[in-house]
Each structure stands twice: as C-alpha cells, then as structure tokens.
Amino acid sequence: MIEMFQEWYQARHEYAREWKKKNPGGKVVGFFCTYVPEEILLAADILPVRILGSHEPQNVTEPHIFGMYCPFCRDCLAQGLEGRYDYLDGVMIAQSCLHIRQAFTSWQKHVGTPWSYYLPMPHHVQSEDRAVEFYAAELNDFKKAVEDWTGRKIGDDDLKRGIEKMNKSRQAMRDLYELRKRPNPPLSGLEAMYAAVTEQWIDKNEHAVVVRQAIDRELDKRDLGLGGKTRLMLFGSEDDDTAFVKMVEGSGSVIVIDDHCTGSRYFWNDTILDGDDPLTAIARRYVNRPPCPTKDWPERRRLAHVLKLAKDWNVAGAIVIQQKFCDPHELDIPEQRRNLEKNGIKTLMLELDVTVPVGQFKIRVEAFLETLSEEDLF
Amino acid sequence: MGKYPTEPLKLWNKAKELRQKFYENYAKAHDKGGLRYAGGAWTFDAVPFGLGQDVYSLTSEPYGASCAYNKEFSLRCLEAAEGYGYARDLCSYMRNYWGSILINEYAFGGPFPRPDFIWQDHICCSHAKWYQTMSELEGGIPMYCVDVGVGAAPPFGQLKPHKIDYVAGQILDGIDWLEKVTGRTFNDELYIEACWNDFRSTHTWAKVCELNQTVPASLDEKTLYSLYVLATLSKASKWCADFYEELYDEVKDRASRGIAAVVNEQARVMSDTQPPWAFLKVFRYLEEYGCVSVGSLYTFGLEGMWDYTEDKGLTPRPMPVQRPTSREEATRMLVDWHLRKPEYQHFYSPEYKSKLMIAICKQWKLNGVMLHYNRGCEGLSLGIAENRLAIQEAGFPVMTFEGNMGDEREFDEARTMARVDAFMETLGIKRVGRA
Amino acid sequence: MITAGIDIGSKTVKIVALKDAKEIVGQVMILAGTDVKESISKAWAELEKTAGVKPGDLAAIVATGAGKGDAVNARRTVTEVSADAKGANFLNPEVRTVIDVGAEEGRAIRIDAAGKVVDFAINEKCAAGAGAFTEAMARALEVEIKELGPLSLKSTQEVAMNAQCAVFAESELVTLVHAKTPKPDMARAVHNAISDRIVSMVRRVGMEEKVMLIGGVANNVGFLDSLQRDLNTTVIVPEDSESVSALGAAVLAAEEA
C-alpha cells in the first residue's frame, strides 16, 4: 500500500490523463501554491493538480524569467513550456511569493492553458478579521468565475462537500505523520514525502483511502529498523528532491517531520465551519494556516510552530533546505536557526537547486550526523 | 557648440537641501520632543502626519540608495548583514539598511537613529520582513504594516469595494494603534492636509515627467533621480508638494524654450528598475552618443500618479475634485489613489507593465530601451524578461544589462559599457561627444 | 583595395586582410602575450611575412575585441557583436543566427540579410564562461582539452548535470567521478551543460535558420553535437571559426573605405 505513493509520484501525468478518461467532461486545474483554496475546486468536481518541477536541467525559461529567481519557479514553468501539462484545462495561483508568480504569469501567456485565475490571497494574515473578510469576498469572486467557466452553480452544499473532502484527506495525512512520532517510525521520510506530495495531485478521496489502508493494515506493526537512527526534521522552501532525501536517510538518519511548501504546511489545519458560511470558513482556514514567510509578520509566528513540530516529533537536528535565491525563506532562516539552536536542536544549512551535488552534500550530512551523535554520549 | 541650448536647473540646489534637511530632521527629531519613525517609500506616510507636525520619517529605499552611493560605507554595511546570516541575493537596499544598524552608523553622520515606531506597507516579499528584522536588530520596535496586495487597478482590474475596505480597514486600525503606541491623539485635520499634499506631490510629479516628451528633453534621467527622490522620502509633506509645483513651472519654461539636458541629443531611450546607484556614470557615457535617457516607468511611476488608457496612453492623474472631510473619507481616497500606482500593476501580471512601458516608448518618442536586470530588487525586476519580449514585439529595440542597485560587487562596469556600445551600433548611433 | 580587420582578444590576436571586399588575401592568429602592443606588432609582422600585406597597404583598418582600444592604426573600433554579424554574413548570407562561444564570453546574435544586428544577448552572470569551463572540466577529468570533444561522442548514456551554475556543475562532476561514471558519459554531460546555458541565451534572441557557430569552442565536436541536439537543427561551423570577428571587421572597413 505504501508503495502506491511512489508509483503515483513517478507517473504523475498519467494519473491526471486517466482521471480525465474516467470522468469525461471533468476539468483539471493546475495550481502553483498551497494557498489555493482547493475546497472550491472540489466543490465543482474539478481535479486540482499541483504543478511541480522535474529536477532536470532545462534551457527554455531564460527568455521568460530572469535567472536571479529561484530554480524551482523556472523548473515549473519549463514543464509547461515543454508541454508536459498539456492535459490541464485551467491553471491558477493564490498570491504568495513573487518568484512562483512569474511561473504563473508566463504560463498564462505562453503555455496556452485555456482558463487561468489569479487569486489575491492577503499577506496581512495577522490582521485576522480584516484578512478573513477580504479573502472571503475574493473567494466569492473566485467561486463565480469557476461557476462561469464550468457552467454550473456552486451552492453551499457543494462547498461543504469540498470542505469535507479536503478535511478528510488532511486528517488522514496528519494521522500518518502522527505515526512518525514513534521511537521506531514505521515509515521512512522518503515514503512520507511521496505520500505528502502526491496528496497534491491525486484525487483526495482516492489518496485518503490509501493513506488509511496503509495506517490500518500495513504500518502499525511494520519494523524498518529505524529505531536507532538519528531523528531529523526538514524545513525551508520547497522540497520534493527524492534523491536528496534518500541520501540523507541513507547516511544513518530518519526524517520524521517537516515544515516546507510540499510537506506538512499543506494539510496541517482543517476548514472548520463553526457557524461561519462556507466561504468565510475557507478564508479563515487559509488565513490561519502555518504561514509562508511572506505572510508571517509583524510577529514571527512560524518560530513557535516549527519549534513545536521539532519537539513533538523529538528531533535531534534539522536540515534547512533552502531553495537557491528563495527570498521569503532567506528572510526567516537566520531567526529560525537561532531559535532551534537555542532550544537544543542543531541545524545544517543546505542550498538546493533543481539538481543537487549529492556527493558533496553527503559529506556535510554525515559530518552533521556525527556532531549530533556526539551529544548522545553525555 | 552643441545642437541645442542648455542651462542648469535653477532648483537643483534646493532639491539637494531639502533632501539633506529630511535626513537631518529624522536624526534630530527627539531634540524638541518630536517623534521619528521608519517606513518604506510606498508607506501611507500621510497617516503619521496626523500625530503632529513634529513627526519625521526615514524612508527605507532612498536610505538604502544613499548607503549604496558610498561604495566603502556600503561594503561595510553589506558585510555586516551577511555576517549576521542574511543571504547575498536578498534585496540590496535592505541589506545596506540592516548593515547600517549593525555597525551603528548613519549614512549622514553619527550613530544610527533608532525610530520610535515602524509604519510600513507590504507588497513585495521583503517589505514587511525588512522591518521585522529591523525591529529584532534594534531590540524590539513597535511595528505596524499595511498589506496593499489586493489585485490590479483599472484598466487592468477592478478596485471592488471589499479591496478598498481591506486596505482602509488596516489603516484605520493602524491609526488606533498609533495612538496607543505614541500616546498622542490623532488629528484628523493634519491627516487630511497630508493626504491632500500626497495627491499634490504625486500628481505634479507626473506632470513634470510629461514635460519630458518634448524634443529635446529638458531633463535627463540622472537629474530626474535627484528630483523624484523627494516624493519617495516624503510625498505627504507640504514642502514636497510645494517644491514640485515650483519645479513644474521651471521645467515647463525649459521645455517651452527648447532647453536640452543633453546638448547633442540625437537619440532617446528609457531605462527600467532602479539604476546601479554606484555607477550612474553609465548615463554620462550615453551622452557621448548624444543619447538621453528621458526617464522610465520607475522614475515616472514609482510615486508619480498616472491614468492609463489604450488610446490616450499615460496622462497625469487629475487631482481629486474635492478635499476629503473626514478621517474615513480621507483614508478611502488615499487608498484608492495609491492602489492605482503604475508600479503596483506588474505585481499581478507583467503584461500590464509592458503596456505602460510601450506607452512611454511611443509618447516620449524613444529609439530604444535599456533594461537593468537588477539583481538587487525582486519587486521591480519582476517579470522583466516578459517586458523585454513585449517591448521588442511592439517594435522597440531593447538592450539588457545585469547589475545591482545597491551591491556594487555585482556590477561589471566594463562589460556594461561594452554592451552600450554594441547597442548603439545596432541602433546606428555614432558617438558625437558631450559638447 | 585591401582592408583589414584586427581582433584583439584576451588569448589571441587575429588579423584578416580582405581584397575588394570579396577575397581573403591574408589571415593570421598569434597567441597574445601580456604586452598587448607587442602582440599587435607581432601579428602585423606575421601578416607581412605570410601574405606580404603591410598596414601601409591598407585602405582602412577596423579593430574589435577586448583590446581594440590599443589598435593605434585602426580607423575605428566596433564591438564583437557587430563584427561577428558581418563576418558570419560574409561567409554565408543565409545565416540569421550567430552563436559565438569564446573563453569567457558567449554571445547570441540575430542578423538580417545584410549582416546587420537585429538583436543580441551576451551571457549573464549565471551562465559564465564556456571555454574556461571546459578547460576546468578537462582538468578534472584528466584529459587534454582537445580530447574532451571526441571523448564525449563515445558516450552511451546521458547523465544529468546542472546547467544553471558552473560552480554547482563542477561539484556534481566530482560526485560523478566518485560514482565511477564512465568518462565519455561525463564528458558528454559537461557539453550538454554548456549547451544548455548557451541555448538558453539563444532562446532569448530567438533562433532563426540558418545558424552559425563561431569562436574558440566551435572546434569542440562534443559541444557542437550537444548544441545541434538542443536546437534540433544543423549548425554551420566555418573553417576558421576563431577569425570570423576579424573578418567582419575587415568587411566593415571595406564598407567605409
């Protein structure tokens, strides 16, 4: 069951194409950031598909995105320009960082996906009610745009359906992550990464079923011998570099928790109705979720969240996966590192590109693990 | 003997004095019981004026540029920021600014004057974070920041009421916050006056820039930098609005008499993004070719307020018909005014900026465009590659040069001059000398 | 009427003498020493010795290259961009895209039927130094620089190497060496990486047939192979690919003599 996630990861485009065949007339919308309110897409029975890069060198984005912007956003755009997402009916973004925004706007102009939407997700999430009110109104406009496009109305019941579907999927993933708290985690960080990242493009119900089955039938008694390994956390920009994660764990560690753009931030909190109308509830969920650094001000609320994850999952150290040139995370990382180190959690900083020098990184990771195990002696 | 007559700008020295005074006032604010605050060039600076007539500001970006202008000082600032753990590819204004705090040296002499509060806006990824870090470096300063990222303005998008509500709401909450933090009572009269000065400054600046459509151009971009900076420093102050009105009269006179900034003007270009501040000699070099940079969307529209339509292109935005009469009305007018800023629109799509840039090419009669691929500013370099394609498609030759507005280690002077030479060759423009 | 173009580069000085704007009657290339003026004199002396052409015989001289300011007997100077354009056009008037890859700088130039420059791009920071990079890679692989190209053609599998950052790529090569990747495959990866960077730059100006490759790296068969695959076209490489700039300068000299 757990290997299903890896299969899905390696055949990502095939899944969406199959889905379209099985759901004639069904629409697939590519999205660029986890702030996109998929509840509304699900309410319209649309399949949302997170657009990610392929970790291959490319030479097609230079005319469109200046090289000083992160390799990830260029890798994403390259997928579109190379025609790999030609099955998309629409593409959208919820406003977060500047870099990925360019992947979206260049995609709009050059890739030919028929429908697109730019959703101004607010940055002042700490203004709470102001941001919620604003975002609820934007979501209302967005909902209308989806209705116009699909030709069908989205009522409150549809929205509730979408909310429930998202929440179920999120809860399943949180339960899966909960298992990683165990002293002998029944799944590796790589396996968890496959599960987390595929949640972002597989039908949520289908994905949740496999997660549940894995939890109920496979993982409970599973022993991978990870009990003696050094427990690590990954945090930072975006990471779905499987070669990198394999190398880190192959060096004598197990990754038990994360906070990054293709990991736990995606499913960490639910949409709760609690007396609100569905759109306001959805707005509230995205305003209150673990924030992207661009939305974490004036207070640094991410510090407490990341530290709590580290403590609750009992990690010895954290690897900072900094996507080269990623400003939002570069603005957070110095304070994050200080905060973790002050609380007894050592950190290693690595700068990632679409491909990484695995050999050189291995030396650093091994050295880092050695410093962590030295602590155990005392 | 040049092709055109030229004269120095009479108000040149006054501009310099006003700028110098601005920085002195901030440093000396406490001397007579006044307040001082820090915020960006796009912050709603009209608001703190409501706290009294003795409230002075330090504006982030121009301060960063002032640091960058002095190469030796800048290097010390940048290295201090990097030593603290901040990456080299972050906004270079920000790194200069933080470094200035870390080494505790004010670019205008003395120690770095600590602000009493922070009043900021946020549209690019760095704006709010800049001040979050500043507060940390200074051991904690009260901070309030207004998010303006609500979507494009007309003609590219609609400014629906809920968008105005969000920004205005944050400002009104911010006013309550300012009262708490400073212990002062907010004065709506002073606030409304400041809003009106803001409109005057930004409207008049656009009118000044419009005058540069004449051939020859009576101002070159290097001069424009020294003039537009005043609006970035303090657009809501009376002295800025008054100065621009005075400036408009002088420039109108220059333009009507055919006074040229570059006496041998034979070609006109525009630039984009902030220039490499430590290498403004690039503009002097252009003069060897009789080439004048008449401005840019950056100098025209960073603070200048314009209307844009497909058929009329860019025209200075007219002043509001009536002064606001209440705090709420002033706030909504201020928000509506600023959300239409030309340099906000590209945050939603490079297409919008391309249209504005192409309008400048046509209306200001340009031969070509020089784009500064500025590694120091993500916000203004956003989408620049697509702008390049669109401007070319519209029939205007474009050259690009990579650099950094605030980190001179990232600017290759010789290579850039070589590119300018190559570009002039492609335009068929030969050297004519400066005079 | 004989005109000449002199290209004073960082590594070599080249002179091409052109008769009646049609026929190449003299061509020299010498290694540049640290004394630029001395190198220039040497080049002229060589031209006289091999082709019997002296500066005094020339109707006009145009200089190009990094050291063009030192060419005292040149009527005027032009950038390599304009010189490349004219030279390529002279050799083949059907060429519309010129790619010049030298030791430290790469250029992509689109030209019209008359050899006039329509658009150009020069490598930015992030795509630094093709020629110098191949030298470093050759050293890392312990092969002679001239062997690197033929070696890469023997490759049997494609191995990915980061194309964006030369420093990252060198780091990756070390990893591949330790993983005992066959040398031909690594050599090919190196050429693919450079080609990716160059092609990124070409795409900025847009590729239009026909395409010509000039400059020092044009002689590298491995790079040419990668380039042709990436652009999906046949690329013309002239015989004296390093002298095209000087030739173009000679053509420009003839145009105004």
Side-chain angles (χ1 to χ4, degrees):
Chain A
M1 283 152 276
I2 193 108
E3 64 288 340
M4 190 71 222
F5 302 117
Q6 184 176 354
E7 283 173 36
W8 274 333
Y9 181 83
Q10 283 161 346
R12 71 181 75 166
H13 300 300
E14 283 82 343
Y15 180 85
R17 288 187 213 278
E18 276 304 305
W19 185 93
K20 288 192 88 163
K21 285 204 202 109
K22 285 189 234 161
N23 297 275
K27 295 202 192 296
V28 180
V29 169
F31 67 94
F32 282 96
C33 170
T34 58
Y35 270 103
V36 160
E38 290 178 63
E39 288 88 338
I40 298 173
L41 296 172
L42 296 179
D45 296 313
I46 291 169
L47 177 72
V49 166
R50 175 86 187 268
I51 295 170
L52 293 174
S54 66
H55 296 283
E56 297 165 284
Q58 51 82 13
N59 59 41
V60 297
T61 60
E62 181 82 12
H64 304 288
I65 301 181
F66 179 12
M68 82 166 200
Y69 295 98
C70 74
F72 173 64
C73 75
R74 286 179 272 130
D75 195 1
C76 288
L77 177 61
Q79 307 310 307
L81 294 173
E82 305 270 30
R84 296 189 186 160
Y85 280 95
D86 56 356
Y87 51 81
L88 294 180
D89 300 291
V91 76
M92 70 173 294
I93 193 167
Q95 182 173 261
S96 53
C97 78
L98 297 182
H99 297 212
I100 197 68
R101 211 177 292 188
Q102 289 173 112
F104 170 74
T105 51
S106 288
W107 191 296
Q108 271 183 314
K109 185 153 189 207
H110 301 288
V111 177
T113 307
W115 183 85
S116 67
Y117 197 88
Y118 183 100
L119 180 55
M121 179 10 216
H123 301 302
H124 196 179
V125 299
Q126 290 180 20
S127 72
E128 296 191 36
D129 287 339
R130 294 272 180 214
V132 170
E133 215 181 292
F134 169 73
Y135 203 36
E138 286 292 335
L139 292 181
N140 194 37
D141 284 348
F142 173 59
K143 179 179 76 90
K144 289 212 196 88
V146 174
E147 286 172 341
D148 287 342
W149 179 46
T150 57
R152 50 178 273 195
K153 280 250 162 282
I154 300 171
D156 276 4
D157 284 339
D158 299 309
L159 289 171
K160 287 185 184 151
R161 229 182 351 102
I163 290 171
E164 209 189 302
K165 194 167 170 178
M166 277 307 283
N167 286 347
K168 251 177 69 183
S169 180
R170 290 168 177 147
Q171 186 62 57
M173 282 305 299
R174 289 197 299 270
D175 289 345
L176 184 74
Y177 266 47
E178 195 67 23
L179 295 178
R180 299 163 81 192
K181 277 183 177 167
R182 293 182 184 178
N184 185 2
L187 70 161
S188 68
L190 181 62
E191 289 173 321
M193 171 184 274
Y194 283 131
V197 91
T198 51
E199 191 199 0
Q200 297 179 38
W201 67 74
I202 301 297
D203 173 82
K204 299 286 185 285
N205 285 343
E206 212 181 317
H207 188 269
V209 161
V210 178
V211 174
R212 285 278 164 229
Q213 279 176 350
I215 294 172
D216 296 337
R217 296 187 218 162
E218 186 181 5
L219 295 176
D220 197 44
K221 299 279 186 288
R222 198 177 188 231
D223 184 355
L224 292 175
L226 298 174
K229 311 267 180 177
T230 308
R231 298 168 70 87
L232 293 180
M233 171 177 195
L234 285 186
F235 79 93
S237 339
E238 174 285 332
D239 183 46
D240 71 310
D241 191 326
T242 53
F244 170 75
V245 171
K246 220 187 237 156
M247 174 277 289
V248 171
E249 294 196 303
S251 306
S253 69
V254 58
I255 295 166
V256 296
I257 189 63
D258 66 74
D259 178 270
H260 61 71
C261 306
T262 43
S264 71
R265 275 214 282 281
Y266 182 67
F267 53 80
W268 209 249
N269 58 330
D270 286 344
T271 300
I272 300 173
L273 283 170
D274 199 24
D276 282 331
D277 65 280
L279 286 181
T280 303
I282 295 169
R284 202 177 292 286
R285 187 265 169 195
Y286 286 92
V287 165
N288 289 331
R289 55 155 271 190
C292 168
T294 61
K295 301 184 196 287
D296 194 29
W297 50 266
E299 285 168 41
R300 285 194 197 273
R301 292 185 184 169
R302 268 190 84 224
L303 287 184
H305 176 72
V306 168
L307 181 63
K308 186 163 198 302
L309 290 177
K311 290 286 185 203
D312 288 353
W313 269 260
N314 193 24
V315 304
I319 298 183
V320 185
I321 40 156
Q322 165 69 42
Q323 179 74 204
K324 195 168 79 170
F325 302 151
C326 169
D327 284 43
H329 286 276
E330 282 168 350
L331 287 161
D332 259 18
I333 278 163
E335 289 310 312
Q336 284 284 6
R337 294 184 73 189
R338 281 189 172 84
N339 196 42
L340 287 168
E341 308 244 351
K342 184 166 81 189
N343 283 280
I345 295 161
K346 283 201 156 69
T347 64
L348 170 70
M349 167 89 172
L350 293 175
E351 198 177 75
L352 265 58
D353 199 323
V354 288
T355 61
V356 294
V358 171
Q360 305 291 73
F361 278 4
K362 191 169 163 66
I363 297 166
R364 286 163 179 72
V365 170
E366 284 173 346
F368 180 57
L369 291 173
E370 278 170 12
T371 66
L372 293 178
S373 61
E374 269 165 23
E375 303 293 300
D376 293 345
L377 293 175
F378 299 99
Chain B
M1 195 51 213
K3 196 167 153 192
Y4 297 111
T6 192
E7 272 168 31
L9 191 68
K10 296 194 199 88
L11 285 171
W12 176 251
N13 281 324
K14 185 164 182 187
K16 283 171 79 171
E17 282 161 24
L18 287 169
R19 177 177 167 265
Q20 192 67 25
K21 190 113 192 299
F22 171 84
Y23 285 110
E24 272 169 29
N25 285 343
Y26 173 78
K28 298 205 181 105
H30 289 164
D31 291 0
K32 295 198 193 123
L35 290 174
R36 59 182 179 223
Y37 76 93
W42 281 339
T43 200
F44 293 99
D45 65 327
V47 178
F49 275 94
L51 295 171
Q53 284 166 317
D54 58 346
V55 180
Y56 303 97
S57 63
L58 179 70
T59 319
S60 358
E61 297 89 344
Y63 182 71
S66 301
C67 295
Y69 197 69
N70 177 340
K71 290 190 188 104
E72 181 276 329
F73 179 67
S74 175
L75 196 55
R76 285 192 292 123
C77 291
L78 295 172
E79 288 177 346
E82 280 146 39
Y84 194 77
Y86 284 98
R88 259 180 85 147
D89 57 275
L90 286 169
C91 163
S92 54
Y93 278 161
M94 191 165 67
R95 291 182 286 127
N96 273 297
Y97 192 100
W98 291 337
S100 180
I101 294 172
L102 284 164
I103 65 177
N104 195 23
E105 282 178 45
Y106 190 45
F108 300 89
F112 189 91
R114 192 173 189 276
D116 300 309
F117 62 89
I118 293 164
W119 177 257
Q120 171 66 320
D121 74 290
H122 181 92
I123 192 168
C124 82
C125 298
S126 308
H127 279 160
K129 310 293 281 184
W130 181 327
Y131 281 99
Q132 185 177 59
T133 298
M134 182 208 194
S135 173
E136 279 155 3
L137 295 179
E138 288 278 28
I141 299 176
M143 170 176 164
Y144 193 89
C145 185
V146 177
D147 176 13
V148 295
V150 298
F156 310 119
Q158 282 181 283
L159 283 181
K160 291 185 157 193
H162 72 263
K163 297 180 193 257
I164 310 282
D165 289 343
Y166 174 54
V167 184
Q170 290 174 78
I171 293 176
L172 292 170
D173 291 347
I175 291 174
D176 293 339
W177 180 89
L178 282 171
E179 284 189 320
K180 268 202 218 76
V181 155
T182 62
R184 291 188 178 196
T185 310
F186 197 76
N187 182 323
D188 289 337
E189 288 309 311
L190 290 177
Y191 174 45
I192 289 167
E193 181 68 30
C195 289
W196 198 252
N197 287 327
D198 184 334
F199 303 148
R200 281 175 57 212
S201 295
T202 53
H203 158 81
T204 311
W205 177 249
K207 283 174 58 184
V208 170
C209 297
E210 190 182 37
L211 293 170
N212 237 21
Q213 289 175 4
T214 56
V215 177
S218 75
L219 296 171
D220 73 304
E221 193 163 25
K222 193 165 177 293
T223 307
L224 287 173
Y225 292 138
S226 301
L227 302 169
Y228 103 105
V229 69
L230 301 177
T232 69
L233 294 176
S234 195
K235 56 196 176 292
S237 62
K238 184 170 185 298
W239 59 260
C240 180
D242 287 348
F243 176 76
Y244 280 160
E245 282 173 4
E246 226 187 307
L247 178 68
Y248 176 74
D249 289 339
E250 185 183 345
V251 178
K252 184 148 196 257
D253 174 62
R254 283 169 72 89
S256 69
R257 288 187 291 118
I259 301 297
V262 173
V263 299
N264 288 324
E265 181 184 309
Q266 57 170 351
R268 300 156 68 90
V269 299
M270 75 175 181
S271 71
D272 192 49
T273 79
Q274 303 90 331
W277 291 112
F279 295 97
L280 293 180
K281 59 167 80 158
V282 172
F283 293 97
R284 286 281 167 259
Y285 190 65
L286 285 178
E287 291 177 21
E288 304 273 343
Y289 286 96
C291 183
V292 61
S293 179
V294 305
S296 55
L297 185 67
Y298 166 69
T299 30
F300 294 178
L302 191 84
E303 301 292 1
M305 206 50 76
W306 301 80
D307 282 340
Y308 169 78
T309 58
E310 293 273 352
D311 37 270
K312 285 217 224 90
L314 283 163
T315 52
R317 183 150 194 235
M319 284 291 286
V321 172
Q322 250 181 299
R323 290 170 72 106
T325 52
S326 73
R327 181 191 294 192
E328 284 70 22
E329 197 191 342
T331 304
R332 293 188 80 82
M333 277 176 72
L334 192 68
V335 168
D336 182 275
W337 183 263
H338 282 293
L339 288 180
R340 292 169 193 264
K341 211 189 292 292
E343 285 277 46
Y344 271 6
Q345 308 314 315
H346 69 278
F347 284 95
Y348 309 105
S349 171
E351 291 300 281
Y352 308 149
K353 183 173 174 182
S354 297
K355 291 193 181 224
L356 299 174
M357 291 174 85
I358 291 165
I360 298 177
C361 290
K362 293 182 182 156
Q363 291 172 262
W364 275 258
K365 308 173 190 73
L366 305 186
N367 301 90
V369 177
M370 293 171 55
L371 298 180
H372 179 206
Y373 270 40
N374 183 358
R375 301 183 79 91
C377 177
E378 317 212 304
L380 293 195
S381 288
L382 189 71
I384 201 166
E386 294 287 1
N387 297 139
R388 176 184 160 272
L389 292 175
I391 296 169
Q392 278 188 329
E393 218 173 307
F396 294 94
V398 183
M399 78 158 261
T400 67
F401 63 99
E402 213 176 275
N404 194 310
M405 73 215 179
D407 189 339
E408 60 106 4
R409 299 169 296 186
E410 301 211 326
F411 185 76
D412 189 329
E413 188 182 327
R415 274 246 178 90
T416 303
M417 301 309 193
R419 272 172 210 240
V420 171
D421 289 336
F423 189 53
M424 293 296 137
E425 279 171 8
T426 66
L427 296 179
I429 296 167
K430 300 220 172 354
R431 278 176 201 260
V432 288
R434 285 173 50 194
Chain C
M1 172 199 68
I2 308 183
T3 58
I6 177 167
D7 175 5
I8 305 159
S10 47
K11 292 190 110 186
T12 54
V13 177
K14 295 139 282 209
I15 305 179
V16 171
L18 196 66
K19 183 170 167 204
D20 298 329
K22 273 204 298 261
E23 189 195 336
I24 296 173
V25 294
Q27 190 169 297
V28 299
M29 176 161 78
I30 61 143
L31 284 173
T34 46
D35 187 333
V36 180
K37 290 202 191 324
E38 199 190 299
S39 306
I40 295 171
S41 304
K42 246 179 86 183
W44 285 115
E46 184 71 16
L47 184 72
E48 192 179 337
K49 193 167 124 203
T50 55
V53 173
K54 296 196 295 293
D57 303 334
L58 301 167
I61 303 168
V62 168
T64 187
K68 59 186 181 285
D70 282 318
V72 290
N73 53 8
R75 170 177 299 198
R76 70 175 180 106
T77 63
V78 290
T79 65
E80 292 101 302
V81 172
S82 300
D84 283 354
K86 277 291 171 179
N89 175 261
F90 179 90
L91 291 172
N92 187 328
E94 289 180 66
V95 168
R96 292 291 176 268
T97 311
V98 184
I99 305 172
D100 180 353
V101 184
E104 274 124 33
E105 204 167 80
R107 292 181 276 272
I109 311 163
R110 236 182 345 100
I111 65 178
D112 65 13
K116 229 183 135 278
V117 175
V118 170
D119 193 11
F120 69 93
I122 305 179
N123 63 269
E124 300 292 358
K125 261 190 159 42
C126 267
F133 182 66
T134 45
E135 281 169 29
M137 295 289 101
R139 274 196 300 275
L141 290 172
E142 295 174 335
V143 300
E144 290 288 315
I145 182 71
K146 59 182 192 294
E147 289 168 23
L148 195 65
L151 182 67
S152 74
L153 293 181
K154 298 197 184 108
S155 160
T156 53
Q157 56 156 356
E158 245 188 70
V159 176
M161 182 183 269
N162 190 299
Q164 183 59 30
C165 174
V167 175
F168 262 72
E170 202 165 334
S171 221
E172 283 183 69
L173 191 69
V174 170
T175 303
L176 293 175
V177 166
H178 286 308
K180 305 202 185 334
T181 313
K183 268 193 190 176
D185 297 338
M186 291 195 286
R188 181 166 165 194
V190 167
H191 291 109
N192 284 348
I194 303 169
S195 174
D196 259 342
R197 294 203 290 274
I198 297 295
V199 168
S200 278
M201 194 176 60
V202 173
R203 295 205 198 283
R204 285 177 64 188
V205 302
M207 183 193 88
E208 205 189 313
E209 300 277 10
K210 290 183 184 182
V211 184
M212 179 181 277
L213 173 65
I214 64 176
V217 183
N219 299 320
N220 182 324
V221 293
F223 171 67
L224 178 63
D225 184 64
S226 297
L227 185 69
Q228 290 187 140
R229 279 170 206 264
D230 271 339
L231 290 175
N232 199 23
T233 189
T234 317
V235 173
I236 305 164
V237 180
E239 216 180 289
D240 297 299
S241 65
E242 289 184 79
S243 300
V244 179
S245 252
L247 170 61
V251 172
L252 285 165
E255 276 178 11
E256 52 194 65

